[in-house]
């Protein structure tokens, strides 16, 4: 990959696995220095209790051609986030790209549980992890982002604004979390515009995250073996795809045209020309509306 982001500094908050790991790695492939944060390290696992660590992500960033710097941070703890940003300022003197990808709510929401049925402590914890973390991180990081014109803030969510406004997303807590992140991007766009910076929200499609692959009992190398049980998984995409979307946005001198917008990895592939790792360009959210939700048989012709 051309080193379009050589000399740029990025923070991917929530980069232990999934979309965050894919975004960090692709920013590294474009030559960026990337601070990768999360709560899971080789010495201590988070409540997710998974094997992926921030150190592994940083190593992937470096192997891809950038410089990966792992930092264990709980983004619900303001002092830890403040110390992180102070470190970036001290070591780099700039922050060009902030990616708010913190989530950690997979084990907390109950599919189809009504608000009165859902454990309230789990629901409120989910909202804190999904929303408060993003606000705390932006509070401390944005003064560094706006120090130089051209800064970019990417709020990562699930679903476009158009899709989410008409579709109830799993449960009240999940729905509120994901739609709130989109609104956070919109609000920050209003506040950042005067400083020459851009904020937007970005969603991957059906992501082949580590957890999703495990759910279907496959790996990235043989993910198509899952299609027998879930044919619509054919539209799925690797974490690299949304990572390439962020790298393209960060390298675009006219990125401010997207200020306040809700975007998807598939939509931006048609604009910037990147592909997924298999050379295809899955457009998952268009597929979901026109094929999956329409009750049609799985067929990705014209969608990837």
């Amino acid at each position: 990959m051309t080193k379009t982001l050589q000399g740029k500094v990025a923070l991917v908050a929530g980069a232990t696995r999934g979309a965050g790991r894919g975004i960090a790695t692709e920013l590294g492939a474009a030559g960026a220095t990337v601070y990768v944060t999360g709560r899971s390290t080789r010495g201590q696992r988070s409540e997710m209790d998974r094997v992926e660590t921030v150190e592994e992500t940083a190593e992937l960033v470096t192997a891809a051609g950038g410089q990966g710097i792992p930092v264990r941070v709980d983004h619900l703890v303001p002092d830890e986030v403040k110390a992180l940003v102070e470190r970036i300022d001290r070591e780099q003197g700039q922050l060009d790209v902030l990616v708010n990808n913190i989530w950690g709510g997979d084990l907390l929401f109950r599919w189809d549980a009504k608000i009165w049925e859902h454990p309230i402590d789990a629901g409120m914890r989910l909202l804190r992890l999904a929303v408060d973390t993003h606000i705390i991180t932006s509070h401390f990081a944005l003064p560094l982002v706006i120090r130089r014109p051209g800064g970019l803030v990417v709020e990562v969510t699930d679903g476009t604004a158009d899709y989410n406004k008409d579709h109830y997303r799993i449960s009240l807590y999940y729905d509120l979390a994901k739609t709130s992140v989109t609104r956070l991007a919109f609000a920050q766009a209003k506040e950042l515009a005067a400083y020459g910076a851009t904020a937007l929200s970005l969603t991957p499609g059906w992501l082949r995250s580590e957890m999703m692959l495990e759910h279907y009992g496959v790996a990235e190398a043989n993910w198509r073996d899952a299609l027998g049980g879930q044919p619509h998984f054919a539209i799925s995409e690797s974490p690299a795809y949304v990572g390439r979307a962020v790298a393209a946005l960060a390298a675009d001198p006219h990125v401010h045209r997207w200020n306040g917008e809700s975007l998807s990895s598939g939509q931006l592939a048609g604009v910037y020309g990147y592909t997924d790792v298999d050379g295809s360009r899955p457009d998952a959210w268009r597929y979901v509306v026109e094929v999956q939700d329409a009750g049609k048989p799985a067929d990705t012709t014209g969608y990837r």
Side-chain angles (χ1 to χ4, degrees), residues 19 21 25 28 61 83 127 166 173 192 197 204 213 228 263 266-267 281 296-297:
R21 175 170 283 191
T25 302
V61 172
L127 291 176
D166 294 326
Y173 293 104
L192 289 172
L213 291 171
L263 308 169
Q267 170 194 0
R281 292 191 179 121
K296 297 179 181 178

Side-chain angles (χ1 to χ4, degrees), residues 235 286-287 291 298-304:
I235 197 60
R286 188 167 61 88
Y287 175 91
V291 179
D299 183 359
T300 61
T301 302
Y303 295 95
R304 72 173 310 140

Side-chain angles (χ1 to χ4, degrees), residues 211-297:
M211 291 184 70
M212 185 59 66
L213 291 171
E214 286 183 10
H215 174 74
Y216 286 120
V218 294
E220 178 62 25
N222 69 325
W223 67 267
R224 290 183 178 276
D225 290 350
L227 302 188
Q230 176 46 270
H232 290 300
F233 195 54
I235 197 60
S236 67
E237 62 195 57
S238 78
Y241 196 51
V242 70
R244 291 171 181 179
V246 175
L249 288 164
D252 182 358
H254 305 294
V255 70
H256 195 68
R257 60 182 155 153
W258 304 114
N259 194 43
E261 294 293 313
S262 166
L263 308 169
S264 72
S265 51
Q267 170 194 0
L268 290 178
V271 176
Y272 291 111
Y274 58 83
T275 66
D276 203 348
V277 293
D278 62 359
S280 70
R281 292 191 179 121
D283 190 354
W285 291 103
R286 188 167 61 88
Y287 175 91
V288 166
V289 171
E290 297 177 7
V291 179
Q292 184 174 319
D293 289 354
K296 297 179 181 178

Side-chain angles (χ1 to χ4, degrees), residues 1 31 42 44 47-48 77 82 97 118-119 147 151 159 164 166 176 178 192 198 211 221 244 270 282 297:
M1 178 180 287
R42 287 181 174 136
Q44 180 181 355
E47 64 199 66
M48 296 292 292
V77 181
K82 182 174 183 285
V97 181
H118 199 291
R147 185 177 294 174
N164 288 347
D166 294 326
L176 183 57
K178 296 309 179 181
L192 289 172
T198 299
M211 291 184 70
R244 291 171 181 179

